[in-house]
């Protein structure tokens, strides 16, 4: 292990965190880590531990383990009166837009790993050296959380650790739909599409690290001389998981009482868990391909999709077509086995369950219309090409228009067909992004209609259910210079957080505390881009907006002038400032979390913000490009302009 590898691991971790949209706590910790006085010393400590004979036993590593913690986020709210299933509705259906209540009852929570950055770096180093071997052994059918192919290159100096998640997800989802349509249209064959979901996957994984070690050795003959002993870094990953499980165990027994105490699971939020989670179901993937041989099989971590030609309708002569289909397709070949509580267990991995209630079976007869499948495919294609800068029609696309959708039974033209009112997360997030970009492109005053709409929407259940959108709303209000609504909105969210309840007092206390921290960090992210005086947000774990900006962990697409956040400029990055004078910040270029394009460098130089000196525009832009991306510009030719053109 070299110091350069440790530094590269940090850059990869930073890039991974930078593009994540949800875990603000890890982003804040990374900013504090980089902006602290002992940043270089901390990296050296990781280097020393990784190169020690027994890293997992070293005093520094043990100190890091002692501060391993967790945070809770709401996963599912308890059903309201209008969410009751049809079987329980005997006296009519009640539909309302009122989401406020004395309490907001949370039914299920998720645990996220919260540990020192040093442990995250150990996980990245393990991926770079050994985890990549597990990933290389996976088939293309495993689509989620796949590692970048650059890791297999000894000269790798890129920021990429994982491939782009949205491209993987699109491939997993769209390929199956296209294959089903091809069978129906081109081959005139009936098709069944089966969707499966592993219940509480990360909590129920029972990893045998000796098995992991043997799989790694099988991929690299140079590792066979370890005499079946687990690698030092793999032992570190094991120790982190055990320490985390011990930490969450008291409260996990309250939230997930049916999980066996002997099952360690994998920490959600630690990057090594993604690799191990993919590897753990490799035998399941192989069994599907060997025994079932479907027209299409794809797995996105714990979400499974199969496309199978089917001669006849599974609902014929079957009271429960889903159960009958799964029995024939997966239980008879011993891929799954029947378990208690109306669920299936994965035979190769005892303890992993598939809930029958969450199994989705779609059957399409080639002799009938496939309009439903075509409409679904078209919608997927539209969503995939829905870029951030699509025009916003103020008259027709209010917040109410996009945030809610009516769910129908039968005809959409009949009032009595309305089943319920549902919030549309995708459309709401898209609308917020468009409105924010619109304010960046113009100098329009705050739109009171938008402000009022946001305040109405984020009330009661909706405020907590869409907690992951708080940052986007606060950023929109900050960029629109609507500080009055921003303050009112943040107070409103604090009030809603105080109403959150679970069935356990201790769980409630932890959950509300973590939601308050998330709100403060959301405010810090908004201030990092738009505040007049950066750093005014409340201090959370030694992190505020100034640290996030100093570490360049803000959202760069909300910076009005390209690469202004890479300079020493201290003012609001979202404003159309006319007189700016700044220099390139060397520390920000050294630890850039993303690749920058050459046109961004040219625009920064042409803006006149930087002192020109004797270099041409092209030369200055080239030096900025190379400083950030660590390699010279290629594929770009330059014709020097005349003095009048310049």
């Amino acid at each position: 292990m070299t110091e350069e590898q440790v530094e590269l691991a940090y850059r990869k971790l930073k890039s991974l965190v930078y593009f994540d949209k949800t875990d603000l706590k890890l982003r804040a910790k990374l900013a504090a880590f980089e902006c602290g006085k002992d940043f270089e010393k901390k990296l050296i400590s990781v280097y020393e531990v990784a190169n020690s004979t027994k890293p997992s036993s070293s005093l520094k590593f043990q100190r890091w383990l002692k501060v391993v913690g967790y945070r809770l986020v709401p996963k599912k709210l308890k059903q309201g009166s209008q969410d009751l299933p049809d079987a329980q509705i005997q006296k009519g259906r009640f539909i309302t837009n009122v989401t406020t209540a004395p309490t907001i009852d949370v039914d299920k929570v998720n645990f996220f790993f919260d540990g020192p950055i040093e442990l995250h770096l150990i996980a990245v180093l393990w991926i770079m050296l050994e985890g990549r071997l597990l990933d290389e052994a996976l088939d293309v059918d495993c689509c989620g959380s796949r590692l970048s192919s650059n890791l297999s290159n000894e000269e790798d100096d890129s920021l990429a650790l994982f491939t782009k998640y949205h491209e993987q997800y699109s491939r997993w989802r769209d390929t199956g739909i296209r294959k089903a349509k091809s069978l129906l249209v081109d081959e005139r064959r009936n098709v069944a599409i089966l969707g499966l979901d592993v219940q509480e996957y990360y909590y129920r994984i029972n990893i045998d690290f000796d098995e992991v070690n043997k799989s790694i050795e099988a991929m690299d003959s140079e590792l066979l001389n370890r005499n079946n002993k687990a690698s030092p870094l793999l032992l570190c990953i094991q120790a982190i998981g055990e320490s985390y499980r011990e930490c969450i165990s008291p409260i996990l027994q309250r939230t997930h009482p049916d999980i066996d105490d002997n099952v360690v699971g994998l920490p959600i939020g630690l990057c090594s868990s993604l690799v191990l989670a993919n590897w753990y179901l490799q035998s399941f993937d192989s069994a599907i391909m060997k025994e079932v041989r479907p027209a299409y099989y794809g797995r996105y971590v714990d979400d499974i999709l199969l496309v199978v030609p089917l001669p006849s309708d599974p609902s014929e002569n079957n009271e429960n077509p889903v159960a009958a289909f799964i029995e024939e397709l997966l239980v008879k070949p011993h891929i799954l086995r029947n378990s208690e509580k109306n669920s299936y267990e994965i035979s190769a991995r005892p303890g992993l369950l598939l809930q029958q209630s969450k199994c989705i079976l779609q059957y399409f007869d080639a002799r009938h219309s496939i309009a439903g499948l075509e409409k679904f495919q078209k919608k997927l294609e539209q969503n995939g090409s829905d870029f951030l800068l699509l025009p916003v029609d103020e008259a027709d696309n209010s917040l109410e228009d996009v945030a809610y959708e009516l769910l129908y039974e039968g005809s959409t033209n009949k009032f009595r067909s309305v089943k319920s009112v549902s919030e549309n997360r995708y459309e709401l997030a898209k609308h917020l992004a468009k409105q924010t970009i619109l304010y960046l492109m113009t100098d329009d005053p705050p739109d009171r209609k938008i402000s009022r709409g946001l305040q109405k929407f984020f009330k009661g259940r909706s405020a907590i259910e869409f907690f992951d959108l708080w940052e986007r709303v606060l950023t929109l209000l900050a960029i629109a210079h609507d500080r009055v609504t921003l303050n009112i909105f943040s107070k409103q969210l604090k009030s809603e957080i105080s109403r959150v309840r679970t069935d356990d007092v201790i769980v409630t206390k932890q959950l509300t505390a973590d939601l308050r921290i998330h709100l403060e960090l959301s405010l810090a992210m908004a201030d990092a881009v738009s505040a007049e005086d950066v750093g005014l947000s409340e201090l959370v774990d030694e992190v505020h907006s100034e640290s996030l900006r100093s570490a360049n962990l803000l959202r760069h697409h909300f910076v009005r002038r390209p690469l202004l956040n890479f300079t020493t400029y201290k003012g609001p990055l979202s404003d159309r400032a006319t007189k700016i004078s700044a220099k390139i910040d060397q520390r920000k270029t050294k630890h850039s979390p993303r690749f920058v394009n050459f046109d961004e460098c040219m625009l920064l130089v042409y803006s006149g913000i930087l002192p020109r000196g004797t270099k041409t525009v092209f030369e200055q832009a080239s030096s900025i490009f190379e400083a950030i991306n660590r390699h010279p510009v290629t594929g770009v030719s330059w014709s020097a302009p005349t003095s009048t053109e310049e």
Side-chain angles (χ1 to χ4, degrees), residues 179-248:
K179 183 61 181 177
K181 186 177 178 182
S182 175
L183 288 170
L184 286 164
V185 176
D186 300 333
E187 301 183 31
R188 304 294 299 169
R189 302 175 71 183
N190 304 339
V191 168
I193 303 175
L194 178 65
L196 304 172
D197 175 61
V198 183
Q199 178 186 357
E200 298 169 340
Y201 182 48
Y202 280 86
Y203 302 99
R204 298 180 182 274
I205 292 177
N206 200 9
I207 287 275
D208 181 347
F209 279 89
D210 288 335
E211 184 185 354
V212 176
N213 187 60
K214 289 177 182 178
S215 296
I216 293 172
E217 289 181 344
M219 289 293 295
D220 193 336
S221 58
E222 293 182 5
L223 301 178
L224 291 175
N225 58 8
R226 296 194 306 207
N227 298 320
N228 292 324
K229 293 182 179 179
S231 75
L233 288 182
L234 184 59
L235 289 174
C236 287
I237 301 300
Q238 182 177 1
I240 294 171
E242 291 172 350
S243 180
Y244 175 72
R245 182 62 169 82
E246 183 180 350
C247 173
I248 69 173

Side-chain angles (χ1 to χ4, degrees), residues 158-169:
S158 69
L159 297 174
L161 186 62
F162 291 89
T163 55
K164 296 177 181 179
Y165 76 90
H166 59 277
E167 293 179 356
Q168 300 173 62
Y169 187 83

Side-chain angles (χ1 to χ4, degrees), residues 65 67-70 111 114 241-252:
L65 287 183
V67 290
V68 163
Y70 65 93
F111 290 75
D114 183 18
E242 291 172 350
S243 180
Y244 175 72
R245 182 62 169 82
E246 183 180 350
C247 173
I248 69 173
S249 183
I251 200 166
L252 186 69

